[in-house]
Amino acid sequence: MGCFDLQQNTLRDLNAALHRQGDLLRVGGKADTQWEVLNPRGSHAVAVGVDGPLQITVCGSVGYYCGGMNQSGEIRIEGSAGPGVGENMMSGSIRVTGDASQYAGATGRGGLLVIEGNASSRCGISSKGIDIVVRGNVGHMSAFMAQSGNLVVLGDAGDALGDSIYEARLFVRGQVKSLGADCIKKEMRDEHLRLLGDLLKAAEVTDVRPEEFTRYGSARELYHFDVDRADAY
Amino acid sequence: MSYTNPTTTPRKSSKFDDYTLSEIRRAAETGLYDIRGAGAKRKVPSLDDLLFLGASMSRYPLEGYREKCGTGVVLGDRFAKKPLELKIPITIAGMSFGSLSGNAKEALGRGATLTGTSTTTGDGGMTPEERGHSQLLVYQYLPSRYGMNPDDLRKADAIEIVVGQGAKPGGGGMLLGQKISSRVAEMRNLPEGIDQRSACRHPDWTGPDDLAIKIVELREITDWQKPIYIKVGGARPYYDTALAVKAGADVVVLDGMEGGTAATQEVFIEHVGQPTLACIRPAVDALQELGMHRKVQLVLSGGIRNGADVAKALALGADAVSIGSAALVAIGDNDPKWEAEYNAIGSTAGAYDDWHEGNDPAGISTQDPERAARLDPVAAGRRLANYLKVMTLEAQTIARACGKSHVHNLEPEDLVALSVEAAAMARVPLAGTDWIPGRSQA
Ligand SMILES: Cc1cc2nc3c(=O)[nH]c(=O)nc-3n(C[C@H](O)[C@H](O)[C@H](O)COP(=O)(O)O)c2cc1C
C-alpha cells in the first residue's frame, strides 16, 4: 500500500506517483494499486488524471477537482469535497462520504460518483454519461444542459432542475423546487425501475426502493430553435 | 403654360442601405435573428491604418535574401516542460470539427506542419486525422467540453482554455441540426440532427481565482508538460491579459472583433467587442506592467491576412499571430470557381458566410460527404503552406527594411498611423506629425 502525506510531500509528487502506477500497469509492470492520502486539508486537484485501476482513499476533506478526469480509479474521499469533484470522470468510481460543493461530476462521461451527503448547485452540469447518486439534496441548476447519464437524488432538488436538458435521466425521491426550461416529469416504466435499481445497488444504497422516485427528463421541445418558444430561455 | 416638377435622381439612404433594408425584411418574414459565419464585415480602425517607416539615414536596413531575419518563436516556456517551438510566428486558430469537414481540418494540419507551426482543435474535440496530420496540435478546452477527454489532452502539444472569441465575446455557439452528422453527434454525445448549443461559460469554474485552480488541475493531469494558453475575446484586453497572467497562463491568445466564427448572430459579430487594433496595446501594457512581456507570450488574432498585418501586430508587441478565415480562403473557401453554386444558394464568391447551413460548395464548412470530398486535403494543405510562407516572407521583408534581424525586434517606433483613431489606438504618431492622441500635445 502506498501512503502519501500531503503535509510532507507535494501535490505534484502525489499525482506523478499515481500516474506512474497507471503507466506501470499498462506495460504489465508491478504497481502499487492501493493508496492512502493523508492530510489533504482542502488541497485542490488531489488524485487528478488517474488512469488505471487504483484504489485511493483520501483521509480528509479536499478542495477543487478531486478525482478530476478519473479513468478506472476507485477513489474514496473520507470527508467533504470542494467544487468539481470528479469533473469529466471517464470511468471508475468516486465516493464522497461528506458533502460536495458546486459542479460535482461536471461533464462526466462515465463511471459512478456517489455523494453520501448533500451536493450543492449545478450537480451533474453538462454531464455526458456519468452516473451520480446523491443521498442528500442537490442545489439549484443541477443537471443543467445534461446530455446523457443518470442523476439520482434521494433527497430534494433545488430550483431549475434539468434546465435545457438533453438525454440525461433524472430520478428524484424528494421534492423538486422547480423544473428548468424543457425539463418535465416523465413516466417511470419498468426499464427505468430496473435501471434505477441497478444504480442504487452500485451505489450501495439499500434502504430505499426505485418505486419511491419520480423520473424527469427532456421534453425535447428546444431541440430545434423555434422563435415561438424563445421565451422559454 | 404647364409646369412639370423636375425630378431629382432617386437617392438611397446611407442609413437604410440595401443590406439594412433586406435585413429588416428578412427579420419581418422569419422572426429569427440572422446567424452567419465569418467575422465583422463593417469597416473598423485596423492594422491597415498603420504604415511602417522603413529605413533612413539613422536606421540601416538589412540585405534582402542575404542577411538573416529570424522568424522563430517559442510559446509557453513560463511553466511548461515542453514549450512549442514554432518556425514562423503565425499559427492556425482553433476551428471545430463539426463546423469544418474532416478534410478541411486535415488540410489545416498538413499546411501548418509543412511550415513548422501549430494548428488548433476546436469545439467538438480532436479527430485522429487532425492529430495524425498535425505535428504541433493545440487542444482547445471549451465551455461545452464536447469531445473532451484526458487521453486527447495528453496527446496534445498545448492546451488552450477558451474564455472567449473575438467574434462573440460572451457568446456560446450553435451548430444547427443539418450539420450534426452521426460522427459529429457521437463526438459530442448528443442525438443526431438536433441543434447543438455550445455553452458560453465553463461548467466548473467562474472567474480568475477559480481559473487558477483549473489550470493547476490541467497541469497536474498532464504532469506540467504542456503549455497552457488562455484565449480571450477582445473585450477588456488589459484586465483579461493581467488576470490570465495571474491565473498562471503560459500564453494569452487575444482575438479581436474582426475574428471569424463558425456561426453566430450577425448582431453579435458586428456590435460586440473591440477591434483587434484597439486590443493590442492594452494587452501589452498589462504584460509589461507585470514584467511578463515576452515571458508570457501574446498571440493576436482577428482579421490577420498578410505579412504586413503580421509585422504590425508584432511591432505593437505581440509574439505571434493566429489565423482562421484567411487559412480557410487559402484552402479554397469562397473560391470564384464555385460561383454558379454560390449563386444557386443566394450568395456570391467572396460573400458566402452561411457556413452554419452546411452547404459549402468548396467542401470546407460542411459535413456533407459529397461536398467534403471536393476538398483534396493534400493539395489544400500545400496551398496553406504556400500562403503561410508568403506571409512570413512579407513580414521578413518589412522587418529587414526596418533593420531588424528578427521579426520580434520590430517596435512601435517603426510605425505611424494614417488616421487619428488608429494613432490613438496603436499609440503611434499620426503620419507627418509627432502627435499621439491622448499621449502628447498636438
Ligand atoms: C469556421 C470557424 C470555426 C471556428 N471555431 C472556433 C472554435 O471552435 N473555438 C474557438 O475558440 N474559436 C473558433 N473560431 C475562431 C478562431 O479560432 C479565431 O479566433 C478567428 O478565426 C480569428 O480571426 P480570423 O478568422 O479573422 O483569422 C472559429 C473560426 C472560424 C472561421
Side-chain angles (χ1 to χ4, degrees):
Chain A
M1 156 115 78
C3 183
F4 216 97
D5 187 338
L6 274 175
Q7 288 313 108
Q8 272 159 33
N9 300 283
T10 64
L11 180 73
R12 183 74 291 268
D13 291 337
L14 166 65
N15 285 318
L18 296 177
H19 297 169
R20 212 161 32 244
Q21 309 314 310
D23 293 341
L24 283 170
L25 289 172
R26 267 185 295 285
V27 296
K30 206 171 125 30
D32 260 333
T33 53
Q34 309 241 330
W35 286 79
E36 204 170 59
V37 181
L38 304 176
N39 293 311
R41 300 198 185 169
S43 298
H44 306 310
V46 172
V48 292
V50 169
D51 187 9
L54 311 181
Q55 286 164 0
I56 303 162
T57 303
V58 183
C59 306
S61 295
V62 289
Y64 283 56
Y65 308 131
C66 184
M69 304 200 198
N70 180 36
Q71 290 167 288
S72 312
E74 287 173 34
I75 302 173
R76 180 181 167 85
I77 300 161
E78 293 185 339
S80 291
V85 61
E87 68 89 12
N88 213 86
M89 174 152 70
M90 307 295 292
S91 57
S93 69
I94 299 180
R95 178 177 287 268
V96 183
T97 64
D99 299 318
S101 184
Q102 308 172 81
Y103 343 116
T107 75
R109 277 146 219 272
L112 174 68
L113 170 63
V114 181
I115 296 158
E116 295 186 354
N118 301 307
S120 180
S121 59
R122 297 183 169 82
C123 180
I125 182 173
S126 200
S127 66
K128 295 158 170 50
I130 190 174
D131 294 326
I132 304 178
V133 178
V134 181
R135 273 214 83 108
N137 307 322
V138 296
H140 65 266
M141 296 294 276
S142 286
F144 176 56
M145 287 180 93
Q147 295 176 213
S148 62
N150 302 290
L151 171 64
V152 181
V153 182
L154 274 67
D156 301 334
D159 269 322
L161 177 72
D163 193 279
S164 305
I165 189 172
Y166 291 98
E167 295 295 302
R169 296 191 195 90
L170 314 179
F171 302 98
V172 182
R173 183 158 153 269
Q175 302 296 312
V176 172
K177 195 157 177 218
S178 68
L179 292 172
D182 214 29
C183 185
I184 53 168
K185 193 167 159 177
K186 293 193 159 181
E187 182 196 356
M188 188 78 110
R189 295 193 296 269
D190 282 349
E191 66 198 88
H192 304 120
L193 290 170
R194 272 198 303 278
L195 169 75
L196 185 50
D198 291 346
L199 288 166
L200 292 169
K201 199 161 147 205
E204 294 167 15
V205 173
T206 51
D207 51 344
V208 298
R209 292 176 306 113
E211 289 77 10
E212 296 169 35
F213 289 76
T214 306
R215 180 167 79 99
Y216 302 88
S218 180
R220 303 191 178 97
E221 287 188 4
L222 299 182
Y223 276 13
H224 294 279
F225 184 78
D226 174 357
V227 68
D228 293 326
R229 288 196 51 87
D231 58 355
Y233 305 104
Chain B
M1 202 173 77
S2 73
Y3 175 78
T4 46
N5 193 11
T7 57
T8 54
T9 305
R11 182 169 64 161
K12 288 189 175 173
S13 163
S14 67
K15 201 143 201 74
F16 288 84
D17 61 9
D18 284 347
Y19 172 79
T20 306
L21 295 171
S22 69
E23 169 53 21
I24 293 173
R25 286 185 206 103
R26 193 204 57 76
E29 196 169 314
T30 63
L32 295 173
Y33 40 42
D34 189 24
I35 291 186
R36 67 169 175 87
K41 295 192 168 184
R42 65 147 98 196
K43 194 162 167 48
V44 293
S46 77
L47 294 166
D48 271 346
D49 302 321
L50 303 180
L51 293 174
F52 282 100
L53 293 171
S56 54
M57 291 282 276
S58 57
R59 301 286 187 284
Y60 320 123
L62 298 186
E63 201 65 62
Y65 306 108
R66 292 289 177 277
E67 286 177 295
K68 194 162 170 47
C69 175
T71 59
V73 53
V74 176
L75 296 181
D77 52 355
R78 182 184 184 196
F79 290 122
K81 285 187 204 151
K82 292 187 183 163
L84 264 59
E85 293 181 19
L86 309 183
K87 294 209 174 86
I88 61 171
I90 310 162
T91 67
I92 305 301
M95 293 183 273
S96 62
F97 171 72
S99 76
L100 300 184
S101 66
N103 280 354
K105 288 298 280 177
E106 180 180 331
L108 296 173
R110 285 177 179 275
T113 300
L114 284 169
T115 41
T117 190
S118 60
T119 184
T120 313
T121 66
D123 219 355
M126 182 191 284
T127 64
E129 297 97 305
E130 184 176 26
R131 178 61 277 189
H133 293 290
S134 310
Q135 200 187 352
L136 294 173
L137 183 59
V138 182
Y139 188 47
Q140 283 202 328
Y141 189 72
L142 293 121
S144 72
R145 309 276 166 90
Y146 286 143
M148 213 300 298
N149 68 72
D151 294 328
D152 287 346
L153 203 64
R154 293 185 194 103
K155 277 186 215 144
D157 298 292
I159 299 165
E160 180 169 302
I161 301 176
V162 179
V163 175
Q165 248 180 272
K168 47 177 174 181
M174 177 66 105
L175 204 53
L176 295 186
Q178 54 267 46
K179 279 180 89 168
I180 312 297
S181 65
S182 56
R183 184 169 180 204
V184 173
E186 193 188 314
M187 279 178 75
R188 295 177 182 224
N189 192 275
L190 280 170
E192 209 174 314
I194 71 165
D195 297 346
Q196 296 189 352
R197 294 181 301 267
S198 294
C200 64
R201 283 200 312 271
H202 282 264
D204 58 356
W205 63 269
T206 324
D209 296 335
D210 278 10
L211 177 56
I213 304 170
K214 177 49 79 177
I215 289 178
V216 169
E217 186 208 6
L218 294 172
R219 289 201 193 275
E220 285 291 324
I221 288 173
T222 54
D223 294 321
W224 291 73
Q225 307 269 338
K226 303 177 198 297
I228 298 200
Y229 305 4
I230 296 181
K231 177 175 179 177
V232 293
R236 294 175 183 79
Y238 174 81
Y239 293 105
D240 284 348
T241 304
L243 291 170
V245 171
K246 183 175 166 290
D250 292 304
V251 173
V252 177
V253 180
L254 176 58
D255 191 29
M257 77 168 277
E258 297 101 305
T261 175
T264 299
Q265 298 91 332
E266 153 89 14
V267 70
F268 218 142
I269 299 175
E270 297 288 355
H271 298 278
V272 185
Q274 301 199 59
T276 302
L277 178 67
C279 292
I280 312 177
R281 295 306 292 265
V284 174
D285 282 350
L287 292 170
Q288 285 172 338
E289 285 168 22
L290 292 166
M292 284 292 170
H293 191 216
R294 307 275 184 229
K295 292 185 184 145
V296 168
Q297 287 79 32
L298 178 66
V299 178
L300 187 82
S301 59
I304 304 291
R305 306 148 302 167
N306 51 42
D309 286 346
V310 178
K312 290 170 188 174
L314 300 189
L316 292 176
D319 294 273
V321 300
S322 191
I323 58 168
S325 305
L328 298 186
V329 174
I331 65 172
D333 167 61
N334 268 293
D335 192 319
K337 78 176 176 194
W338 303 109
E339 181 62 8
E341 293 199 36
Y342 286 124
N343 293 163
I345 51 176
S347 191
T348 180
Y352 177 64
D353 59 15
D354 284 327
W355 299 343
H356 55 294
E357 289 176 354
N359 301 321
D360 186 359
I364 294 171
S365 58
T366 183
Q367 293 301 319
D368 172 53
E370 186 268 321
R371 285 192 181 80
R374 294 178 184 184
L375 188 78
D376 171 357
V378 178
R382 182 75 248 169
R383 290 176 63 86
L384 176 59
N386 287 341
Y387 168 62
L388 288 168
K389 282 182 184 159
V390 170
M391 286 176 96
T392 307
L393 285 170
E394 287 173 345
Q396 280 175 305
T397 301
I398 289 171
R400 282 202 185 90
C402 296
K404 313 293 180 181
S405 60
H406 194 288
V407 288
H408 284 157
N409 296 340
L410 287 163
E411 54 196 322
E413 196 270 338
D414 292 314
L415 292 165
V416 291
L418 285 169
S419 70
V420 176
E421 291 88 339
M425 292 177 190
R427 293 197 220 133
V428 300
L430 184 66
T433 76
D434 56 5
W435 181 41
I436 301 177
R439 301 272 147 169
S440 57
Q441 294 303 311

